[in-house]
Amino acid sequence: MAPANQDQLPFLVSGGGIGGLATAYALALKGFPVCVLEQSAEFKELGAGIQLGPNIFRALDRIGLKDAVLEDAHVPTALKMRDALTGKVITNMPLGQNAVERFKYPYAVTHRADIHGTFLNACRNNNLVTLQNNRHVEGYEEHGESVTVTLQGGERVTGRGLIGCDGMWSQTRERIVGDGKPRVSGHIAYRAVLKRDEVPDDLWNPDVVLWAGPRTHFVHYPLRRGELYNLVAVFHSDHYEEGWDAEGSKDLLWQHFKGQRPEVLRMLERINIWRMWVLCDREPVKNWTHGRVTLLGDAAHPMLQYLAQGACMATEDAVCLAEKVAARPKDPAAAFLAYQQERYLRTARVQIMARVYGEFYHARGPTAELRDQMLAGRTKEQSYDSVAWLYGGP
């Protein structure tokens, strides 16, 4: 706990997504007042399913939310990669009890709204957290012992520090890093969610299954204790549109998945409306902190989705940041630097490896053959060893 005579100014958190709420709750647990400034009219999470590696549950355990997140989640028995053209299994990593025995925590999948809701409820039930909507942060000024943010409309709010959790297109990042717009990967993701009864029995699968095709991949898995079914189709395209929730063209989708396995095509046929987003990331940076202002989650280290680690890294960030602030309650600037120092290499590795995995998933021709040779025949232990750096940490 922070000392009783601490400065009573709150920490200001710009952004009320998964990273922002996790940060607010983690800081509040350490005894610090926090004010979350969310630009939208309500706290909600767009999107559909996300995968939760054992590493996020290690972080959630440290703030007492592991069981609450698992209540809404589905725990698959395996991660499988199959060839989208031939149907053969390329590799299979057992999960469930096997993963728990190796990494001490489970691998699960959940709806973004469910984990966001868990963080939101935790914040609402903590009297040190203030949640404010319709509060768009336009800028900030540092004053040595405090930070003042300027909101749209001119109102100013002062805190003892500012944590920018404002995502891929972070305005806070532009002040600190100044690296312009995100890097467009050339990949587009379409996502959709079906009810369980909309999925034919022979297509429903309790596992996370990835169909790897030439310049495409398709992933499906259950959500919300098996009540829903999450679908994500990714393909190469030069199309660019900012944001996470545009409607996707079915003609464009079919053009890229033409000729793939019947299991893939039959599943794609079940969808009437797809939501799409353009996959972007940024180059890793060593510094995302200036004085009493720091970045977290996608604002600090946006990554492609191929390792399914965006929410996991943001939650790890939040727990680490709160612990560093608690260790230096009178010096947020030093605490923010200590947090950055502990996190930047791990998050940079995830950013880089997510790009590599994207190349693996979308390989074609000889590259795909080499991938299959490398992955085929791996033992369970070898599969676990390949991700121990990620799931076994931090």
Side-chain angles (χ1 to χ4, degrees), residues 247-384:
E247 184 171 342
S249 162
K250 285 192 282 188
D251 289 342
L252 185 62
L253 179 74
W254 283 110
Q255 175 185 331
H256 287 83
F257 284 84
K258 181 180 179 181
Q260 296 197 8
R261 288 286 300 176
E263 298 95 321
V264 173
L265 301 182
R266 286 177 59 211
M267 193 71 81
L268 296 179
E269 288 171 352
R270 313 296 299 181
I271 308 301
N272 292 319
I273 298 177
W274 291 89
R275 312 308 297 178
M276 63 154 280
W277 78 98
V278 176
L279 302 187
C280 302
D281 67 355
R282 293 181 184 273
E283 295 300 319
V285 295
K286 186 171 182 174
N287 180 64
W288 61 65
T289 297
H290 186 278
R292 291 186 175 228
V293 183
T294 194
L295 305 175
L296 186 142
D298 281 350
H301 42 72
M303 54 194 59
L304 298 179
Q305 281 73 6
Y306 299 121
L307 277 176
Q309 281 288 312
C312 300
M313 288 296 110
T315 304
E316 284 187 9
D317 284 353
V319 173
C320 176
L321 183 143
E323 291 174 350
K324 298 304 184 187
V325 170
R328 300 169 176 80
K330 292 295 185 180
D331 194 350
F336 287 176
L337 284 175
Y339 143 74
Q340 172 188 280
Q341 184 65 23
E342 184 163 316
R343 295 296 298 161
Y344 83 90
L345 282 177
R346 176 166 170 80
T347 56
R349 185 174 183 180
V350 179
Q351 286 177 286
I352 293 166
M353 290 306 297
R355 293 180 180 179
V356 173
Y357 272 60
E359 294 298 322
F360 274 24
Y361 295 163
H362 294 177
R364 56 183 175 171
T367 306
E369 291 185 43
L370 289 169
R371 173 200 66 198
D372 296 354
Q373 286 182 14
M374 182 182 73
L375 297 179
R378 285 198 308 182
T379 65
K380 177 178 67 178
E381 289 72 22
Q382 288 170 329
S383 294
Y384 291 157

Side-chain angles (χ1 to χ4, degrees), residues 5-255:
N5 63 349
Q6 67 166 317
D7 184 347
Q8 288 305 302
L9 283 174
F11 281 96
L12 304 178
V13 174
S14 175
I18 289 172
L21 295 182
T23 300
Y25 185 65
L27 282 168
L29 282 183
K30 297 294 185 182
F32 298 100
V34 187
C35 179
V36 181
L37 304 168
E38 166 56 38
Q39 65 179 347
S40 300
E42 59 182 315
F43 284 90
K44 66 178 182 179
E45 186 66 26
L46 296 174
I50 56 172
Q51 300 178 50
L52 304 175
N55 54 303
I56 193 176
F57 289 107
R58 184 173 288 105
L60 289 167
D61 207 7
R62 283 153 69 176
I63 56 175
L65 294 180
K66 173 177 72 72
D67 291 342
V69 170
L70 279 172
E71 281 181 15
D72 296 314
H74 170 77
V75 179
T77 60
L79 293 175
K80 295 178 181 176
M81 179 189 287
R82 303 186 68 170
D83 189 301
L85 299 180
T86 69
K88 72 177 182 180
V89 175
I90 299 170
T91 188
N92 178 39
M93 181 187 295
L95 295 176
Q97 190 58 36
N98 289 287
V100 174
E101 290 173 1
R102 174 63 189 268
F103 300 117
K104 312 304 180 188
Y105 292 91
Y107 192 106
V109 290
T110 195
H111 199 293
R112 293 186 69 91
D114 291 342
I115 187 172
H116 182 265
T118 296
F119 285 134
L120 182 59
N121 289 336
C123 287
R124 284 174 171 162
N125 290 325
N126 190 303
N127 59 12
L128 287 176
V129 179
T130 302
L131 301 171
Q132 297 185 5
N133 294 103
N134 297 309
R135 311 283 271 177
H136 180 71
V137 175
E138 290 195 328
Y140 65 85
E141 298 173 4
E142 295 184 67
H143 308 292
E145 297 300 312
S146 64
V147 177
T148 298
V149 303
T150 302
L151 304 176
Q152 193 172 57
E155 185 179 350
R156 293 160 65 84
V157 181
T158 298
R160 62 191 315 221
L162 170 64
I163 301 123
C165 303
D166 44 349
M168 178 79 70
W169 296 271
S170 169
Q171 293 182 347
T172 314
R173 181 189 178 100
E174 188 57 28
R175 280 280 301 273
I176 296 174
V177 182
D179 55 353
K181 292 183 177 182
R183 166 189 173 271
V184 179
S185 69
H187 304 171
I188 289 182
Y190 279 36
R191 64 176 185 268
V193 177
L194 296 176
K195 295 179 181 177
R196 171 63 183 89
D197 60 12
E198 294 175 326
V199 182
D201 288 342
D202 66 314
L203 295 179
W204 193 88
N205 193 305
D207 300 326
V208 176
V209 180
L210 183 149
W211 297 84
R215 296 169 66 88
T216 71
H217 81 269
F218 176 54
V219 180
H220 53 76
Y221 51 81
L223 291 176
R224 201 164 285 164
R225 303 167 299 276
E227 299 165 15
L228 302 174
Y229 211 56
N230 188 68
L231 311 176
V232 182
V234 181
F235 54 89
H236 289 219
S237 173
D238 294 330
H239 181 86
Y240 178 70
E241 187 168 345
E242 285 192 10
W244 299 89
D245 204 37
E247 184 171 342
S249 162
K250 285 192 282 188
D251 289 342
L252 185 62
L253 179 74
W254 283 110
Q255 175 185 331

